[in-house]
Amino acid sequence: MFRDDQLTEEARQVLLDNDRGSYTVPTKGLYPYQWNWDSAFASLGYATNDMNRAWIELESLFSGQWPNGMVPHILFHELSQDYFPNPSDWGAFGGPIPSSGISQPPVAPTVAKILWELDREVGHKRVESLLPAMLKWYQWFMDNRFQEGVIVATHPWESGRDNSPDWDKALSRIHVDAPLDYSRKDTLMVNEEMRPTKEEYDKYYWLVQLGRSTQWFESELKVKSPFRVGDPGLTFIFMRAIKDLIALSLEFGLETTQLEEDYNRLTEGTSYLWNSELEAYAARCTKTGQFADSMSSASFLCWYGGVDSQLMYNHLCRILKDVLFGIPSLDSRSTKFDRSRYWRGPTWAIMNFMIALGLKEYSYSEAEKLFEATKTMIKKGGFAEYFDPFTGDPKGGKHFTWTAAVWLYLAGRF
Ligand code: GLC
């Protein structure tokens, strides 16, 4: 076990090591670019001791916004040979900075609201200049990802939960006939058993190629792509973003009617994700109407998005009894549960953190337990990418920005 003050110092060092000036990489080597929701968490980490740097992180993220409002999931500021797929593989040239062609969960508006609440003096000007871009991103989600009343992921990477079983059914409809010509870089750095399989990776790349063939033209992709899955994660995180955008807009005297209407549409829309067999929110393929057959940690973001549910609460209590370190990325009783493989079982500090934030707002005592479990997990395992939910052992990559950032925020107890 590490000591709190020692860990705080190390967490700052992780951020420093991953800092590239105006943006922060998730970790050196494995992820050498700016990732969207990672950056939002990095900003939260910086906010504990350097508010200016915290805002710069968000500003650099929005500097890659496409003219259509999309904020890409990866910004390739400086080319690296450590990562695949690179800009030429994506062929996505819609924005000012080379990027991927998809987005990622919009945590940034929520972080902007937190930063602004922590320091309104500094925050006022920064929000004022960032708000139009954030609103434009929200509109992009409504125009391009709002289907069946919820937000769809158009690629597993867009959800941020790459190999979650939430995508298994939709991916099973993709058939990669000819062998694809590419070589993975991730498995050179992390044990293969902790990463997505080759079959999954083939399909991820197949989807990238499909997007590239349409030049990332949304309306064409909507028709052509077999992958459009209603995602509890994107939906609840987006709902939360809208709530926070409403609060920020009110501060600047902006009209909020549309935001409120859309929030209400999404609240009603969440019934599309309710799987009455599982008695839980679950991912659902909009092409077939089929539900994922298990529940992931994203389903527990309902409170974060502003939706209370007794049945979800019952699941939460059950799972918290099964495992020691918070909410695993897959229901621990699912037959697909794998404690080491990425989003198919391990616990992620950021998910625990967001779930706990939501629970706290509904005054559930489990919020504190989850915050504490997250801290204990990091004390045991350090700043790992993710953790074994039973032992807290570190898994995946090391020296992770978002795990360090969650530590800093929780240790500071803002
Ligand atoms: C993996 C994660 C994703 C994250 C990225 C960088 O792809 O699944 O959520 O943004 O790594 O850390």
Side-chain angles (χ1 to χ4, degrees), residues 228-294:
R228 291 189 89 86
V229 184
D231 174 12
L234 276 169
T235 302
F236 291 130
I237 291 172
F238 182 61
M239 286 173 70
R240 171 63 180 239
I242 296 186
K243 274 173 89 171
D244 293 331
L245 286 172
I246 291 175
L248 293 175
S249 297
L250 286 173
E251 179 65 16
F252 290 91
L254 299 182
E255 181 55 56
T256 57
T257 318
Q258 191 58 50
L259 287 158
E260 279 158 30
E261 275 176 25
D262 287 340
Y263 185 81
N264 293 338
R265 283 160 85 193
L266 281 149
T267 308
E268 277 172 35
T270 55
S271 61
Y272 180 75
L273 299 177
W274 187 257
N275 180 341
S276 43
E277 238 171 77
L278 290 178
E279 296 196 314
Y281 291 110
R284 186 170 183 187
C285 174
T286 61
K287 296 271 170 178
T288 62
Q290 276 184 310
F291 278 107
D293 45 22
S294 47

Coordinates of all heavy atoms in Angstrom, one line a residue, residues 228-294:
R228 N -24.6 0.6 -35.2 CA -25.2 1.8 -34.5 C -26.0 1.3 -33.3 O -27.1 0.8 -33.4 CB -26.2 2.5 -35.5 CG -25.4 3.2 -36.6 CD -26.3 4.1 -37.4 NE -26.3 5.5 -37.0 CZ -25.5 6.4 -37.3 NH1 -24.4 6.1 -38.0 NH2 -25.6 7.6 -36.8
V229 N -25.3 1.4 -32.2 CA -25.8 0.8 -31.0 C -26.1 1.8 -29.9 O -25.3 2.6 -29.5 CB -24.7 -0.2 -30.4 CG1 -25.3 -1.0 -29.2 CG2 -24.3 -1.2 -31.5
G230 N -27.4 1.7 -29.4 CA -27.8 2.6 -28.4 C -27.0 2.3 -27.1 O -26.9 1.2 -26.7
D231 N -26.3 3.3 -26.6 CA -25.3 3.1 -25.6 C -25.7 3.8 -24.3 O -25.8 5.0 -24.3 CB -23.9 3.6 -26.1 CG -22.8 3.6 -25.0 OD1 -23.0 2.9 -24.0 OD2 -21.8 4.2 -25.3
P232 N -25.9 3.0 -23.2 CA -26.2 3.7 -21.9 C -25.1 4.6 -21.5 O -25.4 5.7 -20.9 CB -26.3 2.5 -21.0 CG -26.4 1.2 -21.8 CD -25.8 1.5 -23.1
G233 N -23.8 4.3 -21.8 CA -22.7 5.2 -21.4 C -22.8 6.5 -22.1 O -22.9 7.6 -21.4
L234 N -22.8 6.5 -23.4 CA -22.9 7.8 -24.2 C -24.2 8.5 -23.8 O -24.2 9.8 -23.7 CB -22.9 7.5 -25.7 CG -21.5 7.3 -26.3 CD1 -21.6 6.8 -27.7 CD2 -20.7 8.7 -26.3
T235 N -25.3 7.8 -23.7 CA -26.6 8.5 -23.4 C -26.5 9.2 -22.0 O -26.9 10.4 -21.9 CB -27.7 7.4 -23.4 OG1 -27.7 6.8 -24.7 CG2 -29.1 8.1 -23.2
F236 N -26.2 8.5 -21.0 CA -26.2 9.1 -19.7 C -25.1 10.2 -19.5 O -25.4 11.2 -18.9 CB -26.0 8.1 -18.6 CG -27.2 7.1 -18.4 CD1 -27.0 5.7 -18.4 CD2 -28.5 7.6 -18.3 CE1 -28.1 4.9 -18.3 CE2 -29.6 6.8 -18.2 CZ -29.4 5.4 -18.2
I237 N -24.0 10.0 -20.1 CA -22.9 11.0 -20.1 C -23.4 12.3 -20.8 O -23.1 13.4 -20.4 CB -21.6 10.4 -20.6 CG1 -21.0 9.4 -19.6 CG2 -20.5 11.6 -20.8 CD1 -19.8 8.6 -20.0
F238 N -24.0 12.0 -22.0 CA -24.5 13.2 -22.8 C -25.6 13.9 -22.0 O -25.7 15.1 -22.0 CB -25.0 12.7 -24.1 CG -25.5 13.7 -25.0 CD1 -24.6 14.8 -25.5 CD2 -26.8 13.7 -25.5 CE1 -25.1 15.8 -26.3 CE2 -27.3 14.7 -26.3 CZ -26.4 15.8 -26.8
M239 N -26.5 13.1 -21.3 CA -27.5 13.8 -20.6 C -26.9 14.7 -19.5 O -27.4 15.8 -19.2 CB -28.5 12.7 -19.9 CG -29.4 12.1 -21.0 SD -30.3 10.7 -20.3 CE -31.5 11.6 -19.2
R240 N -25.9 14.2 -18.8 CA -25.2 14.9 -17.8 C -24.6 16.2 -18.4 O -24.7 17.3 -17.8 CB -24.2 14.0 -17.2 CG -23.3 14.7 -16.2 CD -24.1 15.3 -15.1 NE -23.2 15.9 -14.1 CZ -23.1 15.6 -12.9 NH1 -23.8 14.5 -12.4 NH2 -22.4 16.2 -12.0
A241 N -24.0 16.0 -19.6 CA -23.4 17.2 -20.3 C -24.5 18.2 -20.5 O -24.2 19.4 -20.3 CB -22.7 16.7 -21.6
I242 N -25.6 17.8 -21.0 CA -26.7 18.8 -21.3 C -27.1 19.5 -20.0 O -27.2 20.8 -20.0 CB -27.9 18.1 -21.9 CG1 -27.6 17.5 -23.2 CG2 -29.1 19.1 -22.1 CD1 -28.8 16.9 -24.0
K243 N -27.2 18.8 -18.9 CA -27.6 19.5 -17.6 C -26.6 20.5 -17.3 O -26.9 21.6 -16.9 CB -27.6 18.4 -16.5 CG -29.0 17.7 -16.3 CD -28.9 16.6 -15.3 CE -29.2 17.1 -13.9 NZ -29.4 16.0 -13.0
D244 N -25.3 20.2 -17.5 CA -24.3 21.1 -17.1 C -24.2 22.3 -18.1 O -23.9 23.4 -17.7 CB -22.9 20.4 -17.0 CG -22.9 19.4 -15.8 OD1 -23.7 19.7 -14.8 OD2 -22.3 18.4 -15.8
L245 N -24.5 22.0 -19.3 CA -24.5 23.1 -20.3 C -25.7 24.0 -20.0 O -25.6 25.3 -20.3 CB -24.7 22.5 -21.8 CG -23.4 21.9 -22.3 CD1 -23.6 21.2 -23.6 CD2 -22.3 23.0 -22.5
I246 N -26.8 23.5 -19.5 CA -27.9 24.4 -19.1 C -27.4 25.3 -18.0 O -27.6 26.5 -18.1 CB -29.1 23.5 -18.7 CG1 -29.7 22.8 -19.9 CG2 -30.2 24.4 -18.0 CD1 -30.9 21.8 -19.5
A247 N -26.8 24.7 -17.0 CA -26.3 25.6 -15.9 C -25.4 26.7 -16.4 O -25.5 27.8 -16.0 CB -25.7 24.7 -14.8
L248 N -24.4 26.3 -17.3 CA -23.5 27.3 -17.7 C -24.1 28.3 -18.7 O -23.8 29.5 -18.6 CB -22.3 26.6 -18.5 CG -21.4 25.7 -17.6 CD1 -20.4 24.9 -18.5 CD2 -20.7 26.5 -16.6
S249 N -25.1 27.9 -19.5 CA -25.8 28.8 -20.4 C -26.6 29.8 -19.6 O -26.6 31.0 -19.9 CB -26.7 28.0 -21.3 OG -26.0 27.2 -22.1
L250 N -27.2 29.4 -18.5 CA -28.0 30.3 -17.7 C -27.1 31.4 -17.1 O -27.5 32.6 -17.0 CB -28.7 29.5 -16.6 CG -29.9 28.7 -17.0 CD1 -30.4 27.8 -15.8 CD2 -31.0 29.6 -17.6
E251 N -25.9 31.0 -16.7 CA -25.0 32.0 -16.2 C -24.7 33.1 -17.2 O -24.4 34.2 -16.8 CB -23.7 31.2 -15.8 CG -22.5 32.0 -15.3 CD -22.9 32.6 -13.9 OE1 -23.9 32.2 -13.3 OE2 -22.2 33.6 -13.5
F252 N -24.7 32.8 -18.5 CA -24.4 33.8 -19.5 C -25.7 34.3 -20.2 O -25.6 34.9 -21.2 CB -23.4 33.2 -20.5 CG -22.1 33.0 -19.9 CD1 -21.7 31.8 -19.3 CD2 -21.2 34.1 -19.8 CE1 -20.5 31.7 -18.7 CE2 -19.9 33.9 -19.2 CZ -19.6 32.7 -18.7
G253 N -26.8 34.1 -19.5 CA -28.1 34.6 -20.0 C -28.5 34.0 -21.4 O -29.2 34.6 -22.1
L254 N -28.0 32.8 -21.7 CA -28.4 32.2 -23.0 C -29.7 31.4 -22.8 O -30.0 30.9 -21.8 CB -27.3 31.2 -23.4 CG -25.9 31.8 -23.7 CD1 -25.0 30.7 -24.2 CD2 -26.0 32.9 -24.7
E255 N -30.4 31.3 -24.0 CA -31.6 30.6 -24.1 C -31.4 29.1 -23.8 O -30.4 28.5 -24.4 CB -32.1 30.8 -25.5 CG -33.4 30.2 -25.9 CD -34.5 30.6 -24.9 OE1 -34.8 31.8 -24.7 OE2 -35.1 29.6 -24.4
T256 N -32.2 28.5 -23.0 CA -31.9 27.0 -22.7 C -33.1 26.1 -23.1 O -33.0 24.9 -22.8 CB -31.6 26.8 -21.2 OG1 -32.8 27.3 -20.4 CG2 -30.4 27.5 -20.7
T257 N -34.1 26.7 -23.7 CA -35.3 25.9 -24.0 C -35.0 24.6 -24.8 O -35.4 23.5 -24.5 CB -36.3 26.7 -24.9 OG1 -36.3 28.0 -24.3 CG2 -37.7 26.1 -24.9
Q258 N -34.1 24.8 -25.9 CA -33.8 23.6 -26.7 C -33.1 22.5 -25.9 O -33.3 21.4 -26.0 CB -32.9 24.1 -27.9 CG -32.8 23.0 -29.0 CD -34.1 22.6 -29.5 OE1 -35.0 23.4 -29.9 NE2 -34.4 21.3 -29.6
L259 N -32.1 23.0 -25.1 CA -31.4 22.0 -24.2 C -32.3 21.3 -23.3 O -32.2 20.1 -23.2 CB -30.3 22.8 -23.4 CG -29.1 23.4 -24.1 CD1 -28.5 24.5 -23.3 CD2 -28.1 22.3 -24.4
E260 N -33.3 22.0 -22.7 CA -34.2 21.4 -21.8 C -35.1 20.4 -22.6 O -35.3 19.3 -22.1 CB -35.0 22.4 -21.1 CG -34.3 23.0 -19.9 CD -34.8 24.4 -19.5 OE1 -36.0 24.6 -19.7 OE2 -33.9 25.2 -19.0
E261 N -35.6 20.8 -23.7 CA -36.4 19.9 -24.5 C -35.7 18.6 -24.9 O -36.2 17.5 -24.8 CB -36.9 20.6 -25.8 CG -38.1 21.4 -25.6 CD -38.5 22.2 -26.8 OE1 -38.2 21.7 -28.0 OE2 -39.2 23.2 -26.7
D262 N -34.4 18.8 -25.3 CA -33.6 17.6 -25.7 C -33.4 16.7 -24.5 O -33.4 15.5 -24.6 CB -32.3 18.0 -26.4 CG -32.6 18.6 -27.8 OD1 -33.7 18.2 -28.3 OD2 -31.7 19.3 -28.3
Y263 N -33.1 17.4 -23.3 CA -32.9 16.6 -22.1 C -34.1 15.7 -21.8 O -34.0 14.5 -21.5 CB -32.5 17.5 -20.9 CG -32.2 16.7 -19.7 CD1 -30.9 16.1 -19.6 CD2 -33.2 16.4 -18.7 CE1 -30.6 15.3 -18.5 CE2 -32.8 15.6 -17.7 CZ -31.6 15.0 -17.5 OH -31.3 14.2 -16.5
N264 N -35.3 16.3 -21.9 CA -36.5 15.6 -21.7 C -36.8 14.5 -22.7 O -37.2 13.4 -22.3 CB -37.7 16.5 -21.7 CG -37.6 17.5 -20.5 OD1 -37.0 17.2 -19.5 ND2 -38.3 18.7 -20.6
R265 N -36.4 14.8 -23.9 CA -36.6 13.7 -25.0 C -35.7 12.5 -24.6 O -36.1 11.4 -24.7 CB -36.1 14.2 -26.3 CG -37.2 15.1 -27.0 CD -36.6 16.0 -28.0 NE -36.5 15.3 -29.3 CZ -35.8 15.8 -30.4 NH1 -35.1 16.9 -30.2 NH2 -35.7 15.1 -31.5
L266 N -34.5 12.8 -24.2 CA -33.5 11.7 -23.8 C -34.0 11.0 -22.6 O -33.9 9.8 -22.5 CB -32.1 12.3 -23.6 CG -31.4 12.6 -24.8 CD1 -30.4 13.7 -24.7 CD2 -30.6 11.3 -25.3
T267 N -34.6 11.7 -21.6 CA -35.1 11.1 -20.4 C -36.1 10.1 -20.8 O -36.1 8.9 -20.3 CB -35.7 12.1 -19.4 OG1 -34.7 13.1 -19.2 CG2 -36.0 11.5 -18.1
E268 N -37.1 10.5 -21.6 CA -38.1 9.6 -22.1 C -37.5 8.4 -22.9 O -37.8 7.3 -22.8 CB -39.1 10.3 -23.0 CG -40.2 11.0 -22.2 CD -41.1 11.8 -23.1 OE1 -41.3 11.4 -24.2 OE2 -41.5 12.9 -22.6
G269 N -36.5 8.8 -23.7 CA -35.8 7.9 -24.6 C -35.1 6.7 -23.9 O -35.0 5.6 -24.5
T270 N -34.7 7.0 -22.7 CA -33.9 5.9 -22.0 C -34.8 4.6 -21.8 O -34.2 3.6 -21.6 CB -33.4 6.4 -20.6 OG1 -34.6 6.8 -19.8 CG2 -32.4 7.4 -20.7
S271 N -36.1 4.7 -22.0 CA -36.9 3.5 -21.9 C -36.5 2.5 -23.0 O -36.7 1.3 -22.9 CB -38.4 3.8 -21.9 OG -38.7 4.5 -23.1
Y272 N -36.0 3.1 -24.1 CA -35.5 2.2 -25.2 C -34.4 1.3 -24.7 O -34.2 0.2 -25.3 CB -35.0 3.1 -26.4 CG -34.5 2.3 -27.6 CD1 -35.4 1.7 -28.4 CD2 -33.2 2.2 -27.8 CE1 -35.0 0.9 -29.5 CE2 -32.7 1.5 -28.9 CZ -33.6 0.9 -29.8 OH -33.2 0.1 -30.9
L273 N -33.6 1.7 -23.7 CA -32.5 0.9 -23.3 C -32.9 0.0 -22.1 O -32.0 -0.6 -21.5 CB -31.3 1.8 -22.9 CG -30.8 2.7 -24.0 CD1 -29.7 3.6 -23.4 CD2 -30.2 1.9 -25.1
W274 N -34.1 0.0 -21.7 CA -34.5 -0.8 -20.5 C -34.8 -2.2 -21.0 O -35.7 -2.5 -21.7 CB -35.7 -0.2 -19.8 CG -36.0 -0.9 -18.6 CD1 -37.0 -1.9 -18.3 CD2 -35.3 -0.8 -17.3 NE1 -36.8 -2.4 -17.0 CE2 -35.8 -1.7 -16.4 CE3 -34.2 0.0 -16.9 CZ2 -35.3 -1.9 -15.1 CZ3 -33.7 -0.2 -15.6 CH2 -34.2 -1.1 -14.7
N275 N -34.0 -3.1 -20.5 CA -34.1 -4.5 -20.9 C -34.9 -5.2 -19.7 O -34.4 -5.4 -18.6 CB -32.7 -5.2 -21.0 CG -32.8 -6.6 -21.4 OD1 -33.8 -7.3 -21.2 ND2 -31.7 -7.1 -21.9
S276 N -36.2 -5.5 -20.0 CA -37.0 -6.0 -18.9 C -36.6 -7.4 -18.5 O -36.9 -7.8 -17.4 CB -38.5 -5.9 -19.2 OG -38.7 -6.3 -20.5
E277 N -35.9 -8.1 -19.3 CA -35.4 -9.4 -18.9 C -34.3 -9.3 -17.9 O -34.3 -10.0 -16.9 CB -34.8 -10.2 -20.1 CG -35.5 -11.5 -20.4 CD -35.1 -12.0 -21.7 OE1 -33.9 -12.6 -21.8 OE2 -35.8 -11.9 -22.7
L278 N -33.4 -8.4 -18.1 CA -32.3 -8.2 -17.2 C -32.8 -7.3 -16.0 O -32.1 -7.2 -15.0 CB -31.1 -7.5 -17.8 CG -30.3 -8.2 -18.9 CD1 -29.2 -7.2 -19.4 CD2 -29.6 -9.4 -18.2
E279 N -33.9 -6.6 -16.2 CA -34.3 -5.6 -15.3 C -33.2 -4.5 -15.1 O -32.8 -4.2 -14.0 CB -34.8 -6.2 -14.0 CG -36.0 -7.1 -14.2 CD -36.7 -7.4 -12.9 OE1 -36.0 -7.7 -11.9 OE2 -37.9 -7.2 -12.9
A280 N -32.7 -4.1 -16.2 CA -31.6 -3.1 -16.2 C -31.5 -2.4 -17.5 O -32.0 -2.8 -18.5 CB -30.3 -3.9 -15.9
Y281 N -30.8 -1.2 -17.4 CA -30.4 -0.6 -18.7 C -29.3 -1.4 -19.4 O -28.4 -1.9 -18.7 CB -29.9 0.8 -18.4 CG -30.9 1.8 -17.9 CD1 -31.0 2.2 -16.6 CD2 -32.0 2.2 -18.8 CE1 -32.0 3.1 -16.1 CE2 -33.0 3.0 -18.3 CZ -33.0 3.4 -17.0 OH -34.0 4.3 -16.6
A282 N -29.4 -1.5 -20.7 CA -28.5 -2.3 -21.4 C -28.3 -1.7 -22.8 O -29.2 -1.0 -23.3 CB -28.9 -3.7 -21.5
A283 N -27.2 -2.0 -23.4 CA -26.9 -1.5 -24.8 C -27.9 -2.2 -25.7 O -28.3 -3.3 -25.5 CB -25.5 -1.8 -25.2
R284 N -28.3 -1.5 -26.8 CA -29.3 -2.1 -27.7 C -29.0 -1.7 -29.2 O -28.9 -0.5 -29.5 CB -30.7 -1.6 -27.3 CG -31.8 -2.2 -28.1 CD -33.1 -1.9 -27.5 NE -34.2 -2.6 -28.2 CZ -35.5 -2.4 -28.0 NH1 -35.9 -1.5 -27.1 NH2 -36.4 -3.0 -28.7
C285 N -28.9 -2.7 -30.0 CA -28.6 -2.4 -31.4 C -29.8 -1.8 -32.1 O -30.8 -2.4 -32.1 CB -28.2 -3.8 -32.0 SG -27.9 -3.7 -33.8
T286 N -29.6 -0.7 -32.7 CA -30.8 0.0 -33.4 C -31.1 -0.7 -34.7 O -32.1 -0.5 -35.3 CB -30.5 1.5 -33.6 OG1 -29.4 1.6 -34.5 CG2 -30.3 2.2 -32.3
K287 N -30.1 -1.4 -35.2 CA -30.4 -2.1 -36.5 C -31.3 -3.3 -36.3 O -32.1 -3.6 -37.2 CB -29.1 -2.6 -37.2 CG -28.1 -1.4 -37.5 CD -28.4 -0.9 -38.9 CE -27.6 0.4 -39.2 NZ -27.8 0.9 -40.5
T288 N -31.2 -4.0 -35.2 CA -32.0 -5.2 -35.0 C -32.9 -5.1 -33.8 O -33.8 -6.0 -33.7 CB -31.0 -6.4 -34.7 OG1 -30.3 -6.1 -33.5 CG2 -30.0 -6.7 -35.9
G289 N -32.7 -4.1 -33.0 CA -33.5 -4.0 -31.8 C -33.0 -5.0 -30.7 O -33.6 -5.0 -29.6
Q290 N -32.0 -5.7 -30.9 CA -31.5 -6.7 -29.9 C -30.7 -6.0 -28.8 O -29.9 -5.1 -29.0 CB -30.5 -7.7 -30.6 CG -31.1 -8.8 -31.3 CD -30.0 -9.7 -31.8 OE1 -29.1 -9.3 -32.5 NE2 -30.1 -11.0 -31.5
F291 N -31.0 -6.5 -27.6 CA -30.3 -6.0 -26.4 C -29.0 -6.8 -26.3 O -28.9 -8.0 -26.6 CB -31.1 -6.2 -25.2 CG -32.1 -5.2 -24.9 CD1 -33.5 -5.5 -25.1 CD2 -31.8 -3.9 -24.4 CE1 -34.4 -4.5 -24.8 CE2 -32.7 -3.0 -24.2 CZ -34.1 -3.3 -24.4
A292 N -28.0 -6.2 -25.6 CA -26.8 -6.9 -25.1 C -27.4 -7.8 -24.0 O -28.3 -7.5 -23.3 CB -25.8 -5.9 -24.5
D293 N -26.7 -9.0 -23.9 CA -27.3 -9.9 -22.9 C -26.7 -9.8 -21.5 O -27.0 -10.6 -20.7 CB -27.3 -11.4 -23.4 CG -25.9 -11.7 -24.0 OD1 -25.0 -11.0 -23.7 OD2 -25.8 -12.6 -24.8
S294 N -26.0 -8.7 -21.3 CA -25.5 -8.5 -19.9 C -25.4 -7.0 -19.7 O -25.5 -6.2 -20.6 CB -24.1 -9.2 -19.8 OG -23.3 -8.9 -20.9

